[in-house]
Amino acid sequence: MYNNNMLNQIQQQQQLPTMQSALDAFNAYQNTLKMSTGSAELDSLIDSIQEGIFYLFYGTHRIIFDSMVYRFLVQCVLPIKCEHGFESMAICFNNSNYNNNRNIRTTFLNPEKIGIISKCAGIDPKILFKNLFIQTAYSEQQQISVAEQVVNLIESNENIKLLVINQLTRFVKDSRNKNKKKEAANVLKKVLGIVCRICAKNKVAIIATGDANPTSKGIIPRPLGGMYLKHAANVIVNIKENSKAYIPSFKATLMKHQYQRTPKAVLLSVKKTGGILFLD
């Protein structure tokens, strides 16, 4: 037998969105706020970062993902005009498996590195830190607690326009057996269910970095996290190091998009400043 709460949940899950005219959809798109990724090539591939959309960047090269996360956080605070930012606050939800990295208990953000990126972008690092919230989960269960904190923060602060989830699939990747991996995958579903609803409601963009599935076949591996993550993300991009190039570069392949043809790829050139990789 179902109780009233269970029936209400089932009805909410089965309820279809209200039908709207094509003109209404077009007008909504025209008024959508967009943020640059900091790379013209990547912007052209995914049509920039739009509010209320869930983006997943995945692959095996963690260094470039860490640099991208720093850049996204800086871009969010930059002015809308001229700098193509959100001119808003951002949240960084970091995941770090403390059990597998006993000597690395970090909240991920390196003040020195983010200071360098901020100055290169033309913004005072102090301004960035005032507009940035950060929390780290060191276990699967902490992921749920952090997700609930994110919801409360977004509901109480309408100035937040970006949620960056770093190493989203970290605990799935580090699980050593099938049962642990399944448990981590279920927690991942719950976490995404919690944050995706509030972000869609408040038009907060989600940018997540994740791992490639090492067991998947084909030239381009699938993202780790199963079919749920594949369906939950609106835009999915695989990032792979271009080992054949003389100049350091990465190949970004668009695997999923709401209205762009896939697969589609661009080359991302990088430069190194102060020990940090930057997308040109």
Side-chain angles (χ1 to χ4, degrees), residues 74 77-79 115 117-128 131:
V74 171
V77 182
L78 291 177
I117 296 178
S118 299
K119 291 177 181 178
C120 290
I123 183 173
D124 188 335
K126 292 181 180 179
I127 295 177
L128 176 65
N131 289 279

Side-chain angles (χ1 to χ4, degrees), residues 30-61:
Q30 289 290 93
N31 295 324
T32 298
L33 191 62
K34 294 183 181 181
M35 181 191 85
S36 173
T37 61
S39 165
E41 288 80 10
L42 190 55
D43 284 343
S44 67
L45 182 69
I46 65 174
D47 193 20
S48 303
I49 303 296
Q50 301 180 32
E51 58 182 353
I53 301 298
F54 179 7
Y55 297 82
L56 173 65
F57 296 91
Y58 76 99
T60 58
H61 204 287

Side-chain angles (χ1 to χ4, degrees), residues 97-144:
N97 195 338
Y98 183 53
N99 292 327
N100 286 1
N101 300 276
R102 296 186 181 277
N103 295 322
I104 306 176
R105 191 177 181 91
T106 174
T107 55
F108 169 71
L109 285 186
N110 184 313
E112 182 180 359
K113 289 183 178 180
I114 203 165
I116 293 173
I117 296 178
S118 299
K119 291 177 181 178
C120 290
I123 183 173
D124 188 335
K126 292 181 180 179
I127 295 177
L128 176 65
F129 288 126
K130 288 180 180 179
N131 289 279
L132 177 61
F133 301 93
I134 181 169
Q135 184 58 283
T136 301
Y138 295 101
S139 68
E140 294 93 328
Q141 295 305 316
Q142 284 188 10
Q143 275 188 307
I144 298 175

